[in-house]
Amino acid sequence: MPEVDLVFPRAYVEFVNPADESEVMRCDLTWLTSSFKCIFGEGCCGIYADAPDVGCCTMGAHFTDKDDVTRVKAAVADLDEDEWQYHSVGTRSGWTEREDGQLKTRVVDGACIFLNRPGFPAGAGCALHQHAVFHGKEPHTLKPDVCWQLPIRRTYRTVELPDDTSYLEISITEYDRRGWGPGGHDLDWYCSGNPEAHVGREPVYRSNAGELRELMGKAAYDELVVRCEAHLSTVKAVRARGARPLLPLLVHPATLAAQEAATVRTRR
């Protein structure tokens, strides 16, 4: 299915961060209540057509800071050969490298060194992610920041007010193609705006609760949940009234397209 346009109406909500009154959370309800889910191994085409089995792991992960490196380093020490395909390579030659002066995970055989390929006994996918799930941990507690945040995007902006005061605005929204920079438009396939990936049983704010708590803080996340629930109630009411023109503002276009496609399949 084709991706939806990058520009479309979105419903945002703003509220003061209960944990810090100097911060205002600006959250994209259209995205956070969407049905997006990662479909790696379930139809993901990969960001490059010549590497469909490696998803978005082709370039390795750039680390954000020392804490990011320290967290992953501790997780790597716990990985065994039976759960990490490139264990011998990583332990012998190292699992990081530098690109333009920035530290990142090594790329081996065309993808991140932690990506187990199809046919590996433990299964294809991120060894760090699989290790976390197997041991009952949240994947974001072991993976590089850039990996577990995708495709959620957090940005900061200082808002200056007419009375010479200001506040820090923290936006939580979709990490669409534009988040990758100019090269994002050259990706052969991308998930967040593709209806094929909007097949989750739970909306993003629930399925990615752990990641959102880490990005926002527990108090702010709890406030977000209240507003997402209210937004979904509004969507339900709009559907009941048959006011379909309002749906593209309230419901992510990719989620809407996926729901309509599912309805067509059911009727056949």
Side-chain angles (χ1 to χ4, degrees):
M1 297 177 70
E3 295 177 37
V4 300
D5 290 337
L6 287 173
V7 180
F8 58 85
R10 293 176 185 263
Y12 282 85
V13 65
E14 293 185 350
F15 58 90
V16 174
N17 183 355
D20 188 340
E21 293 185 356
S22 68
E23 298 177 353
V24 172
M25 312 302 298
R26 181 174 181 267
C27 302
D28 180 354
L29 294 178
T30 303
W31 167 247
L32 294 167
T33 59
S34 76
S35 297
F36 171 84
K37 64 168 286 190
C38 174
I39 57 170
F40 180 84
E42 302 177 72
C44 173
C45 298
I47 59 176
Y48 295 120
D50 60 354
D53 295 326
V54 299
C56 56
C57 304
T58 55
M59 295 176 283
H62 287 80
F63 292 103
T64 57
D65 53 30
K66 291 182 179 179
D67 289 339
D68 193 15
V69 177
T70 299
R71 183 182 62 256
V72 175
K73 184 177 181 180
V76 172
D78 289 334
L79 290 177
D80 296 324
E81 293 182 1
D82 61 348
E83 56 184 347
W84 181 18
Q85 183 175 358
Y86 292 93
H87 184 277
S88 61
V89 177
T91 54
R92 184 179 65 250
S93 307
W95 48 272
T96 64
E97 62 185 5
R98 288 193 176 275
E99 182 178 88
D100 298 329
Q102 294 185 317
L103 191 67
K104 60 186 287 288
T105 61
R106 279 182 64 189
V107 171
V108 178
D109 294 339
C112 176
I113 192 171
F114 293 112
L115 183 70
N116 296 332
R117 308 304 199 269
F120 183 66
C126 175
L128 295 168
H129 187 109
Q130 293 172 333
H131 181 81
V133 173
F134 182 77
H135 290 279
K137 299 178 180 180
E138 292 270 16
H140 74 267
T141 63
L142 304 184
K143 298 170 66 176
D145 285 340
V146 69
C147 298
W148 65 259
Q149 291 180 19
L150 196 71
I152 298 172
R153 183 171 177 80
R154 178 181 62 182
T155 59
Y156 299 90
R157 181 173 73 104
T158 298
V159 178
E160 304 286 348
L161 299 175
D163 61 356
D164 292 332
T165 62
S166 64
Y167 64 85
L168 179 64
E169 176 188 87
I170 303 176
S171 291
I172 305 293
T173 186
E174 174 184 351
Y175 201 112
D176 62 23
R177 283 177 173 269
R178 293 168 293 190
W180 293 72
H185 298 283
D186 298 326
L187 301 179
D188 294 320
W189 187 88
Y190 193 64
C191 58
S192 74
N194 197 307
E196 293 176 9
H198 282 248
V199 292
R201 294 186 177 183
E202 296 281 358
V204 169
Y205 78 91
R206 292 180 190 157
S207 60
N208 289 82
E211 290 83 357
L212 287 166
R213 287 192 189 96
E214 185 68 22
L215 289 170
M216 304 173 66
K218 182 182 182 304
Y221 174 73
D222 290 343
E223 291 294 321
L224 172 66
V225 170
V226 173
R227 289 155 177 80
C228 284
E229 296 289 353
H231 184 80
L232 288 176
S233 294
T234 299
V235 172
K236 184 177 180 180
V238 168
R239 289 185 186 276
R241 293 201 309 269
R244 194 178 183 288
L246 289 176
L247 290 180
L249 168 65
L250 303 174
V251 182
H252 195 290
T255 292
L256 200 59
Q259 292 172 343
E260 292 175 348
T263 299
V264 171
R265 289 195 298 270
T266 301
R267 289 174 178 172
R268 288 177 179 174

